[in-house]
Amino acid sequence: MARPHELQRQRSREYYREFFVEADTDKSGYVSFQELLQILRRKGYRGSESTLRELFQKADLSGDNKLSLHEFMRAMEVVTENSHKAAMMRVCFRKYDENNDGKIDRNELDQAFLEMGKLMHPADLDRVMKSADRDGSGALDYEEFINLMFPEK
């Protein structure tokens, strides 16, 4: 029986394969920089194009300006577990930032709790918001939201 860690690695590899196939819009068997940029933008990537281009060039071991499945999979294997966790946290933040202003307001936070099965009394929600809103802006930025949802022990 496979260990949980190995099962997770297998799932990750399958996810990356599926991602590669989806990104390969021209079905050439390779992913160009533009194809990669397009799928990442669709999935919410907000990083700079220059940073992505730098990562793409590092992954392009053959230097042909396209990634084979092998090159893509190798690049994904070197991504650290913390990078994966950080990416999942960004996805979570963007999910609840419904108006895409880079902040979670009180209504968005209420919706987040509802989706997690927690019905908050308005006074309790106000207390949570006030304690998590460290800069007093009235909304939670990414760091404040992550500290609320994933407190360090």
Side-chain angles (χ1 to χ4, degrees), residues 31-46:
V31 172
S32 69
F33 176 76
Q34 282 305 315
E35 287 173 320
L36 183 60
L37 180 61
Q38 286 172 356
I39 191 171
L40 288 174
R41 292 281 190 231
R42 276 197 323 266
K43 292 186 179 279
Y45 175 76
R46 292 184 182 170

Side-chain angles (χ1 to χ4, degrees), residues 140-152:
L140 304 182
D141 62 24
Y142 174 75
E143 291 297 322
E144 291 167 334
F145 178 76
I146 295 306
N147 287 333
L148 173 64
M149 296 297 174
F150 305 99
E152 291 185 15

Side-chain angles (χ1 to χ4, degrees), residues 17-132:
R17 253 185 228 97
E18 290 171 9
F19 184 95
F20 181 89
V21 168
E22 184 180 349
D24 182 17
T25 56
D26 66 2
K27 306 301 178 212
S28 65
Y30 295 92
V31 172
S32 69
F33 176 76
Q34 282 305 315
E35 287 173 320
L36 183 60
L37 180 61
Q38 286 172 356
I39 191 171
L40 288 174
R41 292 281 190 231
R42 276 197 323 266
K43 292 186 179 279
Y45 175 76
R46 292 184 182 170
S48 75
E49 196 170 315
S50 62
T51 299
L52 183 59
R53 186 169 298 282
E54 186 178 314
L55 294 171
F56 182 90
Q57 289 171 342
K58 285 180 184 176
D60 181 17
L61 301 174
S62 63
D64 59 1
N65 293 317
K66 56 189 178 183
L67 298 180
S68 66
L69 177 60
H70 175 74
E71 289 170 323
F72 181 77
M73 296 299 282
R74 270 190 67 135
M76 293 293 84
E77 286 176 7
V78 299
V79 175
T80 66
E81 185 176 325
N82 286 340
S83 295
H84 288 296
K85 286 180 184 175
M88 292 306 295
M89 289 180 191
R90 282 191 299 276
V91 167
C92 182
F93 179 82
R94 282 193 298 272
K95 176 181 179 183
Y96 296 117
D97 180 17
E98 293 175 3
N99 62 1
N100 295 313
D101 65 354
K103 298 175 184 154
I104 304 290
D105 63 29
R106 186 185 181 286
N107 291 333
E108 291 167 331
L109 184 62
D110 190 29
Q111 185 61 38
F113 281 124
L114 281 174
E115 287 186 26
M116 290 184 278
K118 295 182 180 181
L119 180 60
M120 299 284 286
H121 186 278
D124 292 334
L125 185 61
D126 289 340
R127 276 192 289 279
V128 168
M129 190 74 178
K130 186 176 181 179
S131 70

